[in-house]
Amino acid sequence: MKTSHPIEVEVHSPDEVAEIFDAVSYQKGSSIIRMLNDYLGPEKFTKGLQLYIHRHKYGNTTTDDLWNALSEVCGEDVGSIMSTWTRQVGFPVLTVHKVSDTAEDGLVISIQQDRFLAEGGYNGNGDDTSAWYVPVTICEAADSTKIMKRVLVPPSARTEPFNVHLPGGSQIRLNPSAVGFYRVQYEGSLMAPILEALGEGRLEHRDRLCVLADAFALARAGRSRMTSALTMASTLHCEGNYIVWRELHGQLGSLRSLLQERCAPSHDAAGAEVTTPFEEALNTFIVHLAEPSLKRLGRFGKVTVLSRMVGVHLVRPCEFR
């Protein structure tokens, strides 16, 4: 959102504490610490924490004290990296392009960053200069355990593409296991192998959830077409994980609500309201996705079209494997 607050905020009175310690402080704060742990490595991160705790035991500390301890252990300027996450609002979206793929140079991709706004809009007009040091892990498109490269995308990637060289013919995906606190938008042919891996069930549920959430978030923000997100969703027609289904349920439910708001209601000859062609098409799509799981759970055919997705959503997590 355009209006928010950084993680790190000065507190001038006790009355401000309740206002500041919210989802941004706790949820975003814990997420970027998790991202930092992955970037530095668990061993260095743990040693840095031990140094920080030992050095400041029985005393008060600041955020910089933690960054300084981690910097001493890992040999990197952690403070400069993390200040871009704690002292400014928002988080980035990374746009990935394929520059070339030749026998001589291998696969070359470019990464550019911009502030992501859920309500839509770009920030290239100069009114927002937010930029981050972004720890990025690149893996094989179908396997999060096969890490190909780790890079630190600099703030300059907001205005100048940051190129990454990989083996020729590689099929890649960013942010394995959804550790990074950013959205990813793939341009051109880079998305095809990810869709193929989704359709073949080769991605772990955390990765399926990540790429699905990114696709719908980018579509809602106007950065991609909603048809792209629905194409991705269509590959999950045999999905059996509750968490992924909950995400699907929420995204498709929001889309249905939007259609109901934007489309003028239709009425039959008797004056009764009927579903619009757009709603009917979406309902058919939802049934196509839900039918395999509902049949497996013995629920298909026992509920109405509009409640089938609710039926999936309310199923206990243990019923999905």
Side-chain angles (χ1 to χ4, degrees):
M1 297 178 64
K2 291 182 179 179
T3 56
S4 183
H5 68 81
I7 294 174
E8 197 173 348
V9 179
E10 288 190 13
V11 178
H12 301 286
S13 73
D15 295 335
E16 296 177 357
V17 172
E19 298 177 8
I20 292 172
F21 288 98
D22 55 9
V24 171
S25 300
Y26 286 106
Q27 296 177 21
K28 181 182 178 182
S30 61
S31 294
I32 67 165
I33 290 295
R34 177 172 176 254
M35 179 173 66
L36 180 62
N37 173 71
D38 182 73
Y39 174 65
L40 299 179
E43 184 177 350
K44 289 182 178 179
F45 184 79
T46 300
K47 287 183 178 179
L49 284 181
Q50 290 171 339
L51 175 62
Y52 165 74
I53 293 171
H54 177 74
R55 178 177 290 168
H56 300 286
K57 59 185 177 182
Y58 311 120
N60 296 321
T61 65
T62 66
T63 305
D64 287 337
D65 292 327
L66 174 59
W67 304 151
N68 291 338
L70 290 168
S71 296
E72 286 185 38
V73 169
C74 71
E76 288 196 57
D77 187 356
V78 175
S80 294
I81 296 172
M82 296 307 293
S83 64
T84 65
W85 293 93
T86 62
R87 294 179 180 174
Q88 62 182 350
V89 178
F91 62 93
V93 53
L94 303 183
T95 304
V96 188
H97 296 264
K98 181 166 74 172
V99 177
S100 62
D101 191 357
T102 64
E104 182 179 353
D105 297 327
L107 173 65
V108 181
I109 62 170
S110 70
I111 302 175
Q112 287 189 278
Q113 63 165 283
D114 186 25
R115 182 181 171 189
F116 178 75
L117 294 173
E119 64 267 35
Y122 290 83
N123 294 290
N125 55 9
D127 63 342
D128 186 332
T129 58
S130 303
W132 294 260
Y133 281 104
V134 189
V136 173
T137 301
I138 303 172
C139 68
E140 289 190 5
D143 192 344
S144 291
T145 65
K146 295 182 178 178
I147 304 301
M148 304 182 71
K149 185 166 282 191
R150 297 179 187 270
V151 296
L152 185 66
V153 177
S156 60
R158 182 181 175 90
T159 55
E160 299 177 2
F162 177 79
N163 287 349
V164 180
H165 293 259
L166 297 156
S170 298
Q171 296 181 336
I172 58 128
R173 177 166 48 87
L174 275 61
N175 202 14
S177 300
V179 174
F181 197 77
Y182 51 83
R183 300 286 186 192
V184 182
Q185 181 167 11
Y186 300 92
E187 298 291 345
S189 61
L190 292 174
M191 178 56 77
I194 299 174
L195 289 175
E196 181 180 348
L198 271 175
E200 295 175 353
R202 290 189 285 162
L203 298 187
E204 294 293 328
H205 74 273
R206 187 181 299 172
D207 294 305
R208 299 198 301 275
L209 180 66
C210 179
V211 296
L212 182 70
D214 280 355
F216 275 96
L218 292 167
R220 288 198 309 271
R223 289 179 173 268
S224 64
R225 298 176 65 86
M226 184 57 72
T227 51
S228 299
L230 292 173
T231 297
M232 178 175 289
S234 69
T235 67
L236 301 173
H237 65 280
C238 291
E239 179 60 52
N241 183 272
Y242 172 77
I243 301 300
V244 179
W245 259 117
R246 188 170 64 180
E247 179 70 17
L248 269 172
H249 174 269
Q251 298 290 0
L252 295 175
S254 297
L255 181 56
R256 177 189 286 137
S257 297
L258 180 62
L259 287 175
Q260 291 171 342
E261 291 175 7
R262 299 292 179 89
C263 298
S266 300
H267 299 83
D268 59 19
E273 188 171 322
V274 296
T275 57
T276 66
F278 294 107
E279 290 179 273
E280 191 62 39
L282 181 59
N283 290 339
T284 301
F285 178 75
I286 290 172
V287 171
H288 167 72
L289 287 178
E291 184 175 1
S293 292
L294 289 169
K295 280 185 174 179
R296 182 161 56 85
L297 297 172
R299 294 186 174 217
F300 193 78
K302 298 180 181 180
V303 286
T304 65
V305 169
L306 292 180
S307 65
R308 280 173 181 153
M309 278 299 291
V310 177
V312 173
H313 181 57
L314 296 179
V315 169
R316 292 178 300 154
C318 63
E319 293 189 84
F320 284 88
R321 295 292 184 265

